[in-house]
Amino acid sequence: QVQLVESGGGLVQAGGSLRLSCAASLRTFSRYAMGWFRQAPGKEREFVARISSSGDSTNYADSVKGRFTISRDNAKNTVYLQMNSLKPEDTAVYSCAAENRVVRGNYDYWGQGTQVTVSS
């Protein structure tokens, strides 16, 4: 059974930083592109960042560019999201996901999410 487990969320003041981690039980983790998504109360889930299977390509939502950095350690089956200069509007549940290996943009496996709350 595939499991993605996020950690590192919490309460932080505006301007602060958090580092999220996502540990995956995928045996072939290094073959999957990974993404981070977030969902704020009353809003739809939105894309935050994506990293290719090798880690040499990344993409970000405009709202987080220059503030967030996605990375991965394939030896540890883990993907990270470093979040700096946090804003109250970054408050959401953050989830990681493993992208379908054939159809880009389709995500097959999801974690339960970790809460990030940014106070003003």
Side-chain angles (χ1 to χ4, degrees), residues 57-109:
S57 177
T58 57
N59 303 94
Y60 297 91
D62 287 344
S63 59
V64 307
K65 271 182 189 174
R67 300 188 298 122
F68 290 11
T69 302
I70 188 171
S71 62
R72 67 189 296 159
D73 185 338
N74 284 344
K76 295 183 178 179
N77 278 25
T78 301
V79 61
Y80 305 96
L81 186 68
Q82 177 67 43
M83 306 186 296
N84 299 328
S85 302
L86 282 162
K87 305 175 181 180
E89 51 263 44
D90 294 319
T91 295
V93 174
Y94 285 71
S95 300
C96 64
E99 189 178 79
N100 185 282
R101 291 167 57 184
V102 177
V103 182
R104 179 165 176 165
N106 281 13
Y107 288 82
D108 293 337
Y109 306 109

Side-chain angles (χ1 to χ4, degrees), residues 5-6 12 23 27-28 33 48 50 53 61-62 66 75 91 100 102 112:
V5 180
E6 301 93 341
V12 64
R27 284 196 305 165
T28 54
V48 174
R50 176 190 181 273
S53 57
D62 287 344
T91 295
N100 185 282
V102 177
Q112 291 296 313

Side-chain angles (χ1 to χ4, degrees), residues 14-33:
S17 299
L18 283 174
R19 187 195 195 203
L20 306 184
S21 299
C22 169
S25 66
L26 289 162
R27 284 196 305 165
T28 54
F29 176 78
S30 63
R31 297 182 184 179
Y32 286 84

